[in-house]
Amino acid sequence: MLTIRLPQIFRIHQVPRIFWEDGIISGYRHPKSSALDCVLSSFQLNNETINIWTHFLPTWYFLWRFLGLSYSLDFSCDAYSWPFLAYMWLVCLYPFTSCCAHTFSTMSARARHICYFLDYGALSLYSLGCAFTYGAYAMPDRWVSSTLHYYFVPVAALNSFVCTSLSCYSRFLELESPHLSKIARTAAFLYPFIFDNIPLFYRLLFCFGEDCAWNDSVPGYFYHLFFAALTGFLFASHLPERLAPGRFDFIGHSHQLFHICAVVGTHFQLEAVLRDLHSRRAFLALRAPPVIFTQTFAVLGLALLGNALLLAAFTFLLCCSAGSTSILQNHVSE
């Protein structure tokens, strides 16, 4: 009879320091887990289980939405929908990559860093996906065809390189300068978020009058920004586990809540963008520059290539640099 042995879990001082999480005392998986053990651990309650499922299930939700929208939007022939198509690809990519990163991050210290390099790269590309849709559908009426409008997406592509570089670099600082590492990683994601949302900030907070594009999308954008702010707060604060270490090891710690808020925020963003896509089409057809292939897919292709090269470079530094020795320690107490 075939029996399946679930992986053993450990307390914080039984795993290398690079695997430690603030305020999480128990529920750690073995830092030399096999790929099979990593997969099996997703069906066992540990401190990563809910992290895995809170992005695995939303991946399927966004794929389901993508499939449904493919019947109502002509992605193959209608250039107007191309920015939204690129956005949906990246919306499906980031939770799937995060799910895989949390699943396989305990195969070794090296695997942990590489998994999160990929996770950061996917988040950087998601920020570019937001810029595609905001530039195409959400730009305030007064800014349509402005200098910012023309350069919005190319600058966002460059920002994705900054985000990937700074977030990956932050992992090299985790042991020697944990506070600096946290600041660098937070800044890496805050910067493209602020840039991408400049059109929304202006449109929702500072624009008054007839040409401010106040329509059914506005509540969705407010909800999106609220959950995005909550996501950032949870990521930076490590609450509630910092106030009661050990109480939220398995359920309720900040990373789980941050995953949920991020996905809910993306849902509201998706719905708001769809409303803008439909309701502003006639106006944008007259005022906005036409969507062309190079504006969307060429930029996306270059961003994918550039971020892949950056991830390869950081992986090479991780594996070959003498300075990375400390963050690759993988000793576990028996």
Side-chain angles (χ1 to χ4, degrees), residues 4 40-41 61 123 149 190 200 226 258 284 291 310 320 330:
I4 298 177
L40 291 176
S41 72
Y61 166 72
L123 286 170
H149 195 185
L190 182 62
L200 291 190
F226 169 76
F258 138 65
L284 293 171
V291 177
L310 285 170
C320 301
N330 208 46

Side-chain angles (χ1 to χ4, degrees), residues 62 94 223-224 227 259-270:
F62 290 127
Y94 92 79
Y223 287 130
H224 163 65
F227 281 103
H259 272 203
I260 294 168
C261 289
V263 168
V264 173
T266 302
H267 163 75
F268 282 116
Q269 179 190 53
L270 168 60

Side-chain angles (χ1 to χ4, degrees), residues 25-39:
I25 306 302
S26 62
Y28 290 91
R29 298 173 294 172
H30 197 289
K32 295 181 181 178
S33 301
S34 67
L36 177 60
D37 282 342
C38 289
V39 173

Side-chain angles (χ1 to χ4, degrees), residues 123-131 134 152 155-160 162-164 185-202 204-205 220-233 258 261-262 265-266 269:
L123 286 170
S124 300
L125 289 168
Y126 166 66
S127 75
L128 175 59
C130 298
Y134 291 171
F152 187 68
V155 172
L158 295 176
N159 289 345
S160 75
V162 175
C163 179
T164 298
R185 196 170 305 160
T186 303
F189 297 111
L190 182 62
Y191 164 61
F193 170 79
I194 291 175
F195 176 83
D196 287 350
N197 285 281
I198 287 174
L200 291 190
F201 293 145
Y202 178 79
L204 302 181
L205 302 177
Y221 287 131
F222 271 118
Y223 287 130
H224 163 65
L225 291 174
F226 169 76
F227 281 103
L230 189 55
T231 298
F233 171 77
F258 138 65
C261 289
T266 302
Q269 179 190 53

Side-chain angles (χ1 to χ4, degrees), residues 140 142-143 194 197-214 218 222 225:
R142 299 172 185 178
W143 292 3
I194 291 175
N197 285 281
I198 287 174
L200 291 190
F201 293 145
Y202 178 79
R203 185 173 159 191
L204 302 181
L205 302 177
F206 304 108
C207 186
F208 303 96
E210 295 180 357
D211 57 347
C212 288
W214 282 84
V218 169
F222 271 118
L225 291 174

Side-chain angles (χ1 to χ4, degrees), residues 110-148:
R110 179 179 286 107
R112 179 178 179 82
H113 293 297
I114 293 173
C115 281
Y116 288 115
F117 286 167
L118 294 169
D119 188 20
Y120 302 155
L123 286 170
S124 300
L125 289 168
Y126 166 66
S127 75
L128 175 59
C130 298
F132 279 134
T133 55
Y134 291 171
Y137 316 118
M139 196 66 64
D141 291 1
R142 299 172 185 178
W143 292 3
V144 171
S145 296
S146 65
T147 301
L148 174 64

Side-chain angles (χ1 to χ4, degrees), residues 283-313:
F283 169 80
L284 293 171
L286 294 174
R287 296 277 300 275
V291 177
I292 57 176
F293 182 87
T294 54
Q295 243 180 356
T296 304
F297 298 118
V299 172
L300 177 59
L302 289 173
L304 286 168
L305 177 61
N307 278 280
L309 291 174
L310 285 170
L311 295 175

